[in-house]
Amino acid sequence: MTALRPLILVVDDDPQIHRFLAPALEAAGYEPVRADTAAAGLADIANRPPDAVILDLGLPDMDGKAALQRARAFYDGPVLILSARDREMEKIEALDLGAVDYVEKPFHVGELLARLRAALRQRLSHQGARAVVHAGDVEIDLVKRLVLRAGEPVRLSPREYELLARLVEAGGRVVTHRQLLTAVWGPANVDDVQYLRVFVGHLRQKLETDPAAPRFLVTDSGVGYRFVAD
Amino acid sequence: MAPGVGKTYEMLAAGRRRKLEGLDVAIGVVETHGRRETEALIDGLQVLPRSPIEYRGRQLMEFDLDGALRRRPSLLLVDEYAHTNAPGSRHPKRWQDVEELLAAGIDVDTTLNVQHLESLVDVVWKITGVRVRETVPDSALSAADEIEMVDITPKELLERLHAGKVYMAETARLASNHFFKPENLTALREMALRRAAQTVDDQLVGAMRRQGIEGPWAAGERILVLVAGDAMASSLVRAGRRLADQMGGPWVVAHVERPNQPPGDNQATRWLNEALKLAEQLGGSTVVLTGDDLPGAVLDYAGRNNVTQIIIGRSRERLWRTVAGRSLAQALLRRSDGAALHFVSGGAPDTPREPQAHPVAERGWRRWAGYVGGLLLVAIATGVAFVLDRYSTGGDLAMIFLASVLISGLAYGFRPALVASVLAMLSYNYFFLEPRFSLQIGHAADVFTFTIFFAVAAASGWLTGRVRDQARLASRRAAAVTALLAASRRLSGAANQEETARVLAEQASAAAGGRAAVLLPIDQDLVQVASAPGPVILTTAEMAAAHWAWERSEAAGAGTGTLPQLGWIFRPLVGVRGRAGVAGVEANAFAALGEERLVAAMLDQGAVALERAQLAAATVEHESLRRSDKLRAALLNSISHDLRTPLSTVLGSATTLIDYGATLKPEVSSDLLISIREEAERLSRYVGDLLDMTRLEGGALRTRTEWTDARDVLGVAIQRVERRLGQRRLTRDFPADLSVVQIDPGLLEQAVVNVLENAIAYSPDASTIDVAAYEDRSSVLISIEDEGPGIPRADIERIFEKFRRLEEPSDRMSNDRNKGAGLGLSIAKGFVEAMGGRIAAASPLLDGRGTRVLISLPKPPGGAAAAAKPSDP
């Protein structure tokens, strides 16, 4: 029974968070494990590697970023960041360090669980799945490198396709500016965020019903972009 | 060039031409002397009204400088450049008014007769026998952009004179001096033409230099003028200026101070000071050299500074030195190589001087005191000699008189000693040499003795006097150096601007021997911040001079060109980075040259010290700004953290219930509901804290006091926190009888709740919190003790500060959710103090743990409390 329930480690120093997150995770079919400090969390990861980690950045004993870095030495599962709005930089740095996504406090439990599901799905898709993604009337086939809108092929430049593919592959998770720029333009262009604006604009023109109010290619202000599929 | 040639006419005509060109031309002041053709030219030009100045019961209409500055024309016509303003005007001379106008950006046309030029005064006097009093410094003429020579032939001028076209009052005065003689006029004309030509030449040379044109420049002539404290010092300075003008080189006026020479008397000092001041006015620089060997010192300076021309004076009074073969001129001639020597002989009689503005009464009295002292000493010696005369013979008595002369010399200097030696000789002769009581000398031997005695007395008096004068000079120098050192030490020790200003005022006052004040710029205004000795109240005129000194960065007041009738002199304190303030010193304090220089040196030090203090103040201000920024950041941090944390729980719990409510066990659901309520309460408390703080900070806190039993308030407060106690025990220790106090029960309740919450937040579970109330003679006291980790001694004062919590190490936050925003204790303090009470903390209490917060509320004096005391608690 327990083997079927994914193990989720929650690292947060606020007992009130555990108080509602534990029952919520249980109700959603996960097995929550509680850690109040970064040190305890790291010990838990080492002893019993969880399927995913929910990590608060504002921990009393260690910078959340530093904790993530240490965990990465022996853990490659998805890490979801809990953060406050005023810790923007830390959040981005954590994502660049390999956290899969983030949720800002205060948050709806439903939103957190949706991000958690996406993160876990991503882990499963590594084994090779979901080659075709649907979003509204748009269909993206990553194997055939084909993009269709209402059944008609959409012409994309190689760069536009690369960018879209990176976002689709992330499976609904946020991809930071730096990650996108490194993947599509190469490491020399990590600071040229304006490229991204232009190309995402092009993609929206070609794929979105209303490019001014995008539904699939969503901006995470100051952090990056995410592709929201059906 | 001379009165009557038509300068005013020419100026007005030029002004009209400029007006036709579209320029804003106004007439500041013009003297038409009733000439009709001149008056006709005024038509169509605006004439600024003059301002009345009261002087000795008469009202003089003077040029209104401030009016002109307010009017701000592009071109102002101001007649009679050399005019002397009525006493009480801002500047003594009109050319200084013009200087201010130019500085304010107003172009000025003016008129000037050549004989009013400062450097030509001696020459004019020699030619015409007239000593011109109204002079204009040559630098004022050099500053002119254009010079227009108004020239007519002497013959024509004389014809105009005879035709009555020349202003008569002035004419009458000058005519009496045979001024209007053809040869005089010719000479003046030649001077004017040469002067104008020279200016044109200078402008040409300047233009060529600017354009980098090669040319035979004057080969680096440098002129050195030697002056001493005598009547011809000023003439030498003027001669120096003329030579410098002709040669086109820089010039220096030097005075040599000789350590082994007695300092000159007041008159000599004055002559010297005037000459040095004149040199600066005429555009030369000044230097005081020191050295026993006068020619040596001069030639050393000349050699080091490439001096090519040396001007020295040959005054008649020093003729005996030439006879003695010690002429400076000869020595210079013998020892100098390269430099040309110029001799200026004879002393031009000095201009009749105004009575000295600041007579040095004390010193004068002291000088006469020396002679009186010498007289008294000789009288005492005579008395002693009478007594001794009964027991001894005449030869010894001479020694007593000799002693009196020596003492005079030591005590009063060499002049009184010489007088004393004469008196001693007369007294000795009269009273003790046979025949007694006559000045005759009976024995031939006595004549010899007497002569020797006189020679010895005079020589020893002179010698001791010189020794004393030298000692005094040396000690004065030493005192000056000591004073400077002391000032420097004290100034460097001053902590802030105000202290620096105070030290500076004290030191300047001590050095100058009079009152002193220091003014600093505060909020765009010059404010007197220090004075010594004792308070000084500056008059409006003195403040005006201070402002002048500040705005222009030049000295104003006594002895300067601005408001010289004042008793104070104000000097700008100019440091490395610019003006730091203004120092004023009472002018009669400036007696000797050395002291004035000492004060100036001291003020320079002071300026640098002030500047340093101002920089330090700016740094502190910057630091406090930085700290207030930090505090604001802390506030923002606190609000974002303390609002968001409970909100996260509320939102998270609520959405859990909404999404999964059906699947949750009933006890889990109710726990989530409880956590929502708790966190909402926590938010509410926090918002309440912020509101309380805002009320305290904004001064909007109103206390409604009433007779209150503190025990009631404590009971309510404890009830309010009871639910949050958890495993902690709370004990109450209230007396059966407690005085009522006049306080605001609402504020006290909140203060106690805040202290209790703090105690709960910082103490472990299962510990005890003790609440006690008691009273002493003057107050009712409330004590709240916890068993928490305690507060380090160094921080005990700071726990009542706002957002104190934020600066704590995070590991001390044992149970974070109980903690407020770090405002609780700060608010408690604010409330208690608003009611006239006090709050203090003590920690640690026992075994290095525990904190006690003590609130004391004052009991009202008298029986009101007793009357209102409840009979049974």
Side-chain angles (χ1 to χ4, degrees), chain B residues 200-215:
Chain B
V200 170
D201 209 38
D202 287 350
Q203 283 169 354
L204 182 69
V205 165
M208 287 170 75
R209 261 197 196 147
R210 271 194 302 281
Q211 290 158 24
I213 300 167
E214 292 287 323

Side-chain angles (χ1 to χ4, degrees), chain A residues 14 16 84 105 108-109 113, chain B residues 644-645 655-656 660 671 679:
Chain A
D14 187 349
Q16 297 295 85
K105 283 182 181 178
H108 289 256
V109 163
L113 293 179
Chain B
R644 193 183 294 114
T645 310
T655 50
T656 303
Y660 303 99
D671 183 56
E679 291 305 291

